[in-house]
C-alpha cells in the first residue's frame, strides 16, 4: 500500500536520521515536495544525487488527481477523487469574495451516523492519510484561476476529523508549516460532532479554530439526530467548551442544522441561548440540504430568521449559512454521491447522478 511511501514530516525526519543525513535535509525535502511542488525527486537540485535516488526508491511525492471537477452555477466547484483502493472522497471550493474557502474530507464515508447527513449513509469506509488530506488542497490549488488564492480551509467535508485525529493533526502541520503550504492556523477550522477528549487535545496541540455541530438543545432531541450524544451528552460537551482555553478574540462556532418541526421552535432558540451562556461562541444556522431518502424537511426561511432573531435578542452572535453548490450536490451534508452506494440506493441511480455532474 502506498501509505508507507507517504512523505510526512514524521517519516522524512526518521528516514533522514536513519540514513545518516543531517536533520536540515528533512526540511529541504519537505519544502521541495510541498512548497515548491517538485515534479520529481530528481528535480530537487540542491540535494546530493545519492540522496535523490534513495528518496525516489522509498517515497512517492504528494498529490491527488481529481476524477471529476463539477462546476455549480454559483461558481462552487466540487472535486471528486478516487483513491488507490477505490474509496471516493470529495472537496469543495467555495468562492465568497474576498474569501475563497476550501472544504476538505478527513475520512471516506463517516461512522458518526447523524440522521440528517448523506455521508453518514455510507458508513465509515476508512480514514484518510495525512497526505490524502493535504492532497485535496494541492489539487484544489491546481484548479484555481490565476487571480484566486485559497484563504480558508474547513474540515467540513466527508468524515469526522477528530475520529482520525493523528492524520488530521499531521495534515494541519503540513498545511501551516513554512516549508509546507504556509496557511495560517487562524484560517483553518476543524468541525466535530463533539468528540470531547479529542477536542481538548486539538486545542492544546494546534491553534486552529473549532466548530461544533450541535443541532439539538436537549439530550433527547439531539440523541435522535446525532447518536454520538449518547457518548458525550450536552452537559459534558458544553462543559468542555466552556473550559477550553480559547484565545482572546476567537470563538467556537456552533453549527445548527434547521429541521422543520424537529429542532426549530422558539423554545429551542431560548434553550440554545441558555446552553451557550458563558461560552465565547457564534452560532451558524444551516438550512437543511435535502438528499434522496433523507426523511427530513428543512425549516422555512422565515422560521430560520425568527430563530436567529431570538438568539440575537439573547445576546448570541448568530448567522445563517448561505447554501452553496446545491445543484452539484456539494452543499453541507450532501457529500456522498461518489462513494459507495447507500444501502437503499441502487448503483444505477448513483451512476445516473454522477453522470449528471
Ligand atoms: N463530522 C464533522 C465534519 C462535517 S461538517 C461535523 O459533523 O461537524 C458538516 C456539517 O454539515 C455539520 O455541521 C453537519 O451538521 C452539517 N450537515 C450534515 N448534513 C446536513 C444536511 N443535510 N443539510 C445541512 N447541513 C448538514
Amino acid at each position: 500500500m502506498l501509505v508507507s511511501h507517504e512523505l510526512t514530516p514524521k517519516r522524512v525526519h526518521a528516514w533522514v536520521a536513519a540514513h545518516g543525513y543531517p536533520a536540515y535535509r528533512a526540511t529541504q525535502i519537505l519544502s521541495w515536495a510541498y512548497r515548491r511542488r517538485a515534479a520529481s525527486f530528481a528535480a530537487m537540485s540542491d540535494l546530493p544525487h545519492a540522496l535523490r535516488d534513495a528518496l525516489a526508491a522509498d517515497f512517492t511525492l504528494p498529490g491527488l488527481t481529481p476524477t471529476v471537477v463539477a462546476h455549480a452555477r454559483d461558481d462552487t466547484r466540487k472535486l471528486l477523487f478516487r483513491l488507490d483502493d477505490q474509496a471516493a472522497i470529495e472537496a469543495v471550493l467555495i468562492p465568497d469574495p474576498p474569501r475563497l474557502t476550501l472544504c476538505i474530507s478527513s475520512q471516506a464515508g463517516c461512522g458518526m451516523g447523524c440522521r440528517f447527513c448523506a455521508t453518514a449513509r455510507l458508513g465509515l469506509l476508512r480514514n484518510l492519510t495525512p497526505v490524502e488530506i493535504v492532497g485535496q488542497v494541492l489539487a484544489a490549488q491546481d484548479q484555481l484561476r490565476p487571480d484566486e488564492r485559497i484563504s480558508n480551509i474547513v474540515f467540513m467535508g466527508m468524515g469526522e476529523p477528530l475520529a482520525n485525529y493523528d492524520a488530521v493533526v499531521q495534515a494541519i502541520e503540513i498545511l501551516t508549516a513554512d516549508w509546507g503550504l504556509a496557511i495560517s492556523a487562524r484560517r483553518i477550522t476543524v468541525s466535530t460532532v463533539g468528540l470531547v477528549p479529542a477536542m481538548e487535545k486539538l486545542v492544546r496541540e494546534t491553534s486552529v479554530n473549532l466548530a461544533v455541530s450541535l443541532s439539538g438543545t436537549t439530550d433527547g432531541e439531539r440523541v435522535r439526530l446525532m447518536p454520538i450524544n449518547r457518548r458525550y451528552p450536552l452537559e459534558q460537551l458544553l462543559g468542555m467548551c466552556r473550559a477550553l482555553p480559547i484565545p482572546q478574540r476567537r470563538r467556537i462556532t456552533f453549527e445548527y442544522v434547521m429541521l422543520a418541526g424537529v429542532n426549530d421552535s422558539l423554545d429551542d432558540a431560548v434553550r440554545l441561548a441558555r446552553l451557550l451562556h458563558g461560552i465565547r461562541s457564534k452560532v451558524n444556522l444551516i438550512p437543511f440540504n435535502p438528499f434522496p431518502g433523507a426523511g427530513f424537511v428543512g425549516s422555512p426561511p422565515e422560521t430560520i430568521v425568527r430563530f436567529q432573531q431570538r438568539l440575537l435578542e439573547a445576546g448570541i452572535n448568530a448567522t445563517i449559512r448561505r447554501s452553496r453548490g446545491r445543484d452539484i450536490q456539494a452543499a453541507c451534508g450532501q457529500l456522498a454521491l461518489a462513494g459507495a452506494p447507500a444501502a437503499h440506493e441502487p448503483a444505477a441511480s448513483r451512476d445516473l447522478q454522477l453522470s449528471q455532474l
Side-chain angles (χ1 to χ4, degrees):
M1 179 103 175
L2 272 178
V3 172
S4 60
H5 298 282
E6 279 209 333
L7 208 61
T8 62
K10 231 192 226 171
R11 276 180 204 285
V12 173
H13 279 280
W15 187 95
V16 161
H19 286 72
Y21 289 100
Y24 74 88
R25 290 292 187 199
T27 312
Q28 242 180 327
I29 296 162
L30 291 165
S31 166
W32 271 113
Y34 290 100
R35 194 162 62 84
R36 305 169 77 170
R37 302 282 305 273
S40 65
F41 288 102
M44 301 184 176
S45 52
D46 53 7
L47 301 183
H49 280 283
L51 173 53
R52 291 186 235 174
D53 292 344
L55 284 169
D58 286 358
F59 289 104
T60 49
L61 283 168
L64 282 183
T65 309
T67 45
V68 184
V69 179
H71 218 116
R73 282 188 288 273
D74 65 9
D75 202 27
T76 297
R77 280 152 269 172
K78 178 161 88 169
L79 285 67
L80 308 182
F81 304 93
R82 204 159 280 282
L83 306 175
D84 304 320
D85 58 357
Q86 294 303 303
I89 54 162
E90 311 184 336
V92 184
L93 256 175
I94 311 160
D96 189 12
R99 288 179 170 212
L100 178 58
T101 301
L102 178 68
C103 177
I104 57 175
S105 298
S106 56
Q107 299 180 312
C110 184
M112 295 296 119
C114 300
R115 304 278 183 252
F116 47 77
C117 179
T119 305
R121 304 289 169 100
L122 304 175
L124 176 62
L125 304 174
R126 70 168 173 87
N127 280 331
L128 300 188
T129 66
V131 175
E132 286 169 340
I133 296 172
V134 174
Q136 297 167 67
V137 183
L138 299 175
Q141 284 179 334
D142 293 340
Q143 294 294 323
L144 299 179
R145 295 186 278 267
D147 58 325
E148 289 182 317
R149 199 164 166 261
I150 294 170
S151 66
N152 296 73
I153 293 183
V154 297
F155 283 80
M156 296 186 185
M158 296 172 98
E160 166 52 42
L162 297 188
N164 185 16
Y165 186 88
D166 289 340
V168 165
V169 167
Q170 287 185 63
I172 290 170
E173 182 187 355
I174 299 170
L175 294 175
T176 55
D178 283 336
W179 50 256
L181 283 71
I183 298 168
S184 162
R186 280 177 297 119
R187 296 183 172 280
I188 299 177
T189 299
V190 170
S191 181
T192 177
V193 294
L195 302 184
V196 170
M199 285 164 62
E200 191 183 16
K201 202 159 170 240
L202 185 77
V203 169
R204 220 174 330 109
E205 294 178 354
T206 74
S207 35
V208 299
N209 299 296
L210 193 61
V212 179
S213 297
L214 204 59
S215 297
T217 61
T218 66
D219 283 322
E221 184 179 280
R222 189 166 187 263
V223 95
R224 279 195 298 275
L225 299 172
M226 303 179 65
I228 193 65
N229 193 80
R230 244 184 278 282
R231 182 114 139 257
Y232 303 112
L234 284 172
E235 193 182 319
Q236 202 180 334
L237 174 59
L238 296 168
M240 163 57 62
C241 291
R242 201 164 275 117
L244 283 176
I246 302 293
Q248 283 298 328
R249 315 170 70 105
R250 295 240 218 151
R251 290 163 185 278
I252 301 177
T253 300
F254 289 91
E255 295 152 283
Y256 196 99
V257 183
M258 296 292 291
L259 303 167
V262 175
N263 64 359
D264 64 348
S265 71
L266 290 181
D267 284 348
D268 278 303
V270 171
R271 274 196 297 268
L272 181 55
R274 206 176 304 137
L275 287 173
L276 298 184
H277 185 78
I279 302 176
R280 263 211 309 284
S281 66
K282 58 185 172 202
V283 173
N284 201 208
L285 302 172
I286 313 181
F288 173 65
N289 293 306
F291 56 93
F296 290 101
V297 175
S299 309
E302 56 279 12
T303 305
I304 301 180
V305 169
R306 236 181 296 129
F307 196 95
Q308 178 196 28
Q309 227 41 57
R310 186 52 67 91
L311 289 173
L312 294 173
E313 282 161 24
I316 302 289
N317 179 337
T319 52
I320 301 173
R321 185 174 293 175
R322 193 153 55 95
S323 190
R324 302 291 303 268
R326 262 195 200 182
D327 55 321
I328 55 165
Q329 304 278 305
C332 304
Q334 290 185 321
L335 301 186
L337 295 181
H344 60 277
E345 191 186 347
S349 86
R350 189 172 37 104
D351 292 345
L352 182 69
Q353 284 162 323
L354 264 178
S355 65
Q356 282 172 343
L357 294 174

